[in-house]
Amino acid sequence: MVYYIRYLKAPRLQKQKTGSISASALICITTDLGDAFLSQDVDLLVTLHPAQAENKILCQERVQWHGGKRELPITLGPLPAGISQLSMIMKVTASKSTSTSSDPLMDQQNIPLVLSCWSTSFGGRQSLIAEKLIERRFRVNQSVELSIWEETGNSIARHIWDAAIASVMYLQQILARDPKSANPVLQKILQSERGSSLNVIELGSGCGIVGIALADLLPQCSVLLTDLDEVEEIITKNIEAAKPAHASKIQYRPLDWEEELPDDLFDTPSVDLVLVSDCTYNADSLPALVSVLGRLVKLSPDAVILVALKRRHESESIFFDLMQSAGLEDLNSHHMELPSQHEQWDEIELHCYGRRSQHVI
Ligand SMILES: C[S@@+](CC[C@H](N)C(=O)[O-])C[C@H]1O[C@@H](n2cnc3c(N)ncnc32)[C@H](O)[C@@H]1O
């Protein structure tokens, strides 16, 4: 599993007793579930950039995260007088690079163990305290850089999960025709010349990283992100930050699996691809999730469902039985390894489902 640097206390400018100004924050390095902290030491680089000129550095310091700790206070300063007139961003990274570059998600071997975080801007005309948000930046290929906002708290829906990281890499590799991710079913729909848009729906999209990445990577791709009402604000922010490829678009609408599928869910009656990332952790909601998948495939018999999951407990295996009972077959399975601490690897499963009769390869 990868580890996420999170702000427990958002960055802020503070006047010290001596009259000097410093910037401080409280961070932790934790898992997607927030249930464990990085238990190895890692060097971090903390940088303050002007919000309008991120290639410039206002202040930079190295600090160390010690394995076994649950949090790390950070203080940068004393900062030059007058700095609070400037709007700035704080970046914390474990990357050795001193540049402002994003975390690479191009090649499985190069995924960082610890993902960097950026703050919202603070200082200047804004508040002296950054918002309770974290930006993640990912380099997905030579031309696509993703910017995804998460919340700093422990909400399940409003941050990125490991299976989403693996899904983005997997889709990127398929689009790049990487032999490591050979998947004829997905290749057929993602790489084919289309006269019309590829229609994609993501269920339980959380912050929306998977669907947004696909729309940014693939021209002529129409992505509908769905989740519970609670994600609306963060997903809207992420859609605004997205840079969809030519003739691609991203929309959001609430969709609760426990409720009836609205008749007007799509502009178009057919769906080509359904994305589901890290939504199988709660056995209680699996019947409702599979029922929605079954109904989507009934409406669009050619649809392919890409399910990414990290097995967290035994009860999740019921998902596979339910899929089979719904007439959905696992057409192609892969796994992707994400780095974990102490030079271990963690496995994310990627299953491609559909009606077998519809996908004779
Ligand atoms: C572990 S998060 C995964 C988020 C995102 N797909 C990712 O991988 O980063 C599971 C998501 O499923 C959503 N979810 C859970 N129950 C749901 C339901 N009944 N209807 C719709 N979405 C639901 C949650 O709101 C949450 O965003």
Side-chain angles (χ1 to χ4, degrees):
M1 71 196 61
V2 286
Y3 284 78
Y4 301 77
I5 303 176
R6 290 212 179 122
Y7 290 118
L8 292 172
K9 279 192 189 152
R12 62 203 61 204
L13 288 173
Q14 278 172 320
K15 204 168 189 174
Q16 303 298 335
K17 284 189 190 122
T18 56
S20 65
I21 304 272
S22 64
S24 66
L26 183 66
I27 61 156
C28 68
I29 306 183
T30 184
T31 59
D32 53 3
L33 197 55
D35 60 340
F37 300 92
L38 184 68
S39 70
Q40 69 183 58
D41 293 356
V42 62
D43 291 328
L44 300 173
L45 187 65
V46 187
T47 311
L48 275 185
H49 298 285
Q52 305 306 331
E54 287 193 37
N55 54 340
K56 296 203 173 116
I57 293 172
L58 296 169
C59 184
Q60 191 166 62
E61 275 182 35
R62 289 196 180 274
V63 294
Q64 199 182 38
W65 170 267
H66 293 286
K69 293 276 180 202
R70 301 170 73 91
E71 57 184 43
L72 173 68
I74 289 171
T75 305
L76 294 186
L79 300 171
I83 198 157
S84 53
Q85 310 301 318
L86 210 62
S87 167
M88 64 195 83
I89 286 172
M90 183 186 282
K91 175 190 181 186
V92 186
T93 182
S95 155
K96 299 276 177 280
S97 157
T98 52
S99 74
T100 55
S101 62
S102 38
D103 289 329
L105 276 197
M106 294 187 279
D107 181 346
Q108 218 168 320
Q109 302 309 318
N110 293 327
I111 300 183
L113 168 65
V114 177
L115 299 182
S116 315
C117 74
W118 284 254
S119 72
T120 63
S121 53
F122 59 104
R125 291 198 184 141
Q126 295 150 304
S127 162
L128 296 182
I129 306 179
E131 290 173 63
K132 290 182 178 171
L133 291 172
I134 292 167
E135 186 189 7
R136 309 269 176 212
R137 298 182 188 179
F138 300 107
R139 166 71 50 203
V140 186
N141 68 18
Q142 294 308 331
S143 52
V144 173
E145 187 178 281
L146 272 183
S147 155
I148 301 290
W149 289 93
E150 299 183 292
E151 277 190 8
T152 53
N154 274 335
S155 139
I156 284 188
R158 296 186 295 268
H159 68 260
I160 298 167
W161 291 71
D162 289 0
I165 302 278
S167 298
V168 172
M169 267 208 28
Y170 188 61
L171 290 168
Q172 184 279 123
Q173 287 182 352
I174 287 176
L175 289 168
R177 297 170 196 265
D178 185 329
K180 287 196 288 296
S181 305
N183 178 336
V185 181
L186 264 187
Q187 265 150 354
K188 197 168 149 200
I189 60 168
L190 291 180
Q191 293 173 350
S192 63
E193 295 287 321
R194 285 183 307 278
S196 58
S197 232
L198 183 84
N199 288 314
V200 181
I201 179 168
E202 180 168 5
L203 303 182
S205 55
C207 300
I209 176 171
V210 184
I212 290 174
L214 184 60
D216 283 9
L217 284 163
L218 185 66
Q220 269 205 303
C221 176
S222 171
V223 176
L224 179 64
L225 305 173
T226 70
D227 203 304
L228 303 174
D229 287 329
E230 61 175 283
V231 305
E232 178 145 9
E233 205 175 316
I234 197 86
I235 225 167
T236 305
K237 190 170 174 70
N238 285 330
I239 292 174
E240 277 165 15
K243 299 181 203 82
H246 175 69
S248 290
K249 65 175 181 180
I250 310 161
Q251 290 168 302
Y252 162 75
R253 65 178 289 181
L255 178 74
D256 185 340
W257 315 326
E258 308 281 349
E259 292 176 5
E260 269 302 298
L261 276 189
D263 292 337
D264 64 336
L265 188 58
F266 308 106
D267 301 342
T268 148
S270 91
V271 181
D272 302 299
L273 176 62
V274 184
L275 299 171
V276 185
S277 156
D278 227 328
C279 290
T280 55
Y281 61 94
N282 178 5
D284 293 343
S285 62
L286 291 177
L289 171 62
V290 174
S291 160
V292 173
L293 293 172
R295 276 179 285 162
L296 286 173
V297 173
K298 203 167 172 192
L299 287 171
S300 306
D302 289 335
V304 168
I305 303 166
L306 177 63
V307 181
L309 61 101
K310 175 154 85 173
R311 293 221 195 197
R312 297 176 201 268
H313 41 77
E314 279 297 306
S315 62
E316 275 175 84
S317 57
I318 191 182
F319 173 75
F320 300 96
D321 302 336
L322 289 168
M323 290 294 272
Q324 205 167 15
S325 307
L328 297 166
E329 295 204 48
D330 197 341
L331 306 170
N332 196 306
S333 295
H334 264 258
H335 73 266
M336 188 149 271
E337 288 184 329
L338 293 184
S340 188
Q341 58 188 353
H342 307 300
E343 302 191 1
Q344 304 281 308
W345 293 88
D346 202 25
E347 194 175 273
I348 305 290
E349 296 174 34
L350 294 129
H351 301 270
C352 222
Y353 277 93
R355 288 190 187 278
R356 185 171 292 280
S357 53
Q358 306 291 133
H359 298 281
V360 181
I361 297 147

